[in-house]
Amino acid sequence: MPRVVILDYGSGNLRSAERAVRRVGADVEVTADAAAALAADGLVVPGVGAYSACMAGLREVHGERLIGKRLAGGRPVLGICVGMQILFERGVEHGEETEGAGEWPGTVDGLTAPVLPHMGWNTVRAPAESRLFAGLDAGTRFYFVHSYAARSWELDSGLAGQQPLVTWAHHGEDFVAAVENGALSATQFHPEKSGDAGATLLENWLRTL
């Protein structure tokens, strides 16, 4: 049974994520303890709310360093919602720019759409080679709640020289819905709120640990 830590940095649906990951077969701990986060087979970084608040909480527990150390050793990390957004270089909300964890180049900013937030079920366009979306067909829907997103992808060569796999969705415009970049994966949607489809994605991620 793989050991997974849900990083507790004061943001995110911690208990929902804990229940969802445990349900698909992991031994799960919710903690901010650095030693536990580094030793786990997988680290989940959730996140809800404002980009700046999430980054402040992450820095308080040295979460950006934990993520960097894990990735340097090829140890899997999964970001969810704002936990995905903070992996980019910067976020801009209400004119305020916040430095992110910087694992990927690019900016997270406001979606241009007739209705915001983007809240509810939506389909995604995943690459055929995707491991996260293995066994899920093109009509599968996932649950989103957000008004901000990465609207472009700027990284050509990813971790360990592997080509990043980028999944897209559309709400008013295209935006990055998920990324698979070596040991670093992330989803803009909430797999823990996406029913059977989300459970399948989490099972697929556990198989990479």
Side-chain angles (χ1 to χ4, degrees), residues 17-193:
E18 178 188 17
R19 286 193 297 270
V21 177
R22 178 172 288 120
R23 193 176 297 126
V24 296
D27 178 11
V28 186
E29 179 182 7
V30 177
T31 183
D33 180 73
L38 289 172
D41 298 312
L43 177 68
V44 174
V45 182
V48 296
Y51 191 105
S52 58
C54 284
M55 274 309 305
L58 191 72
R59 289 197 174 96
E60 193 169 319
V61 301
H62 307 294
E64 77 280 21
R65 296 184 197 171
L66 294 174
I67 292 168
K69 285 182 179 179
R70 285 189 61 89
L71 296 177
R75 299 181 64 74
V77 176
L78 175 66
I80 295 175
C81 197
V82 185
M84 169 180 171
Q85 295 178 1
I86 58 178
L87 297 170
F88 288 86
E89 283 180 323
R90 68 188 69 84
V92 178
E93 294 184 358
H94 307 295
E96 177 185 1
E97 182 171 318
T98 302
E99 182 181 351
E103 294 296 337
W104 297 321
T107 300
V108 170
D109 56 9
L111 282 171
T112 302
V115 177
L116 289 172
H118 173 213
M119 182 168 62
W121 298 86
N122 202 350
T123 57
V124 302
R125 305 191 308 274
E129 317 93 297
S130 171
R131 297 178 69 184
L132 279 184
F133 294 91
L136 295 166
D137 64 39
T140 301
R141 294 180 177 271
F142 298 89
Y143 191 80
F144 291 83
V145 185
H146 65 115
S147 297
Y148 298 83
R151 300 182 296 161
S152 63
W153 179 258
E154 302 177 16
L155 184 66
D156 292 327
S157 180
L159 294 171
Q162 298 175 3
Q163 185 69 24
L165 298 178
V166 181
T167 293
W168 297 87
H170 188 88
H171 181 72
E173 61 181 327
D174 283 351
F175 64 89
V176 177
V179 179
E180 297 162 71
N181 178 206
L184 182 56
S185 300
T187 65
Q188 177 61 67
F189 55 83
H190 288 273
E192 78 280 9
K193 295 182 178 181

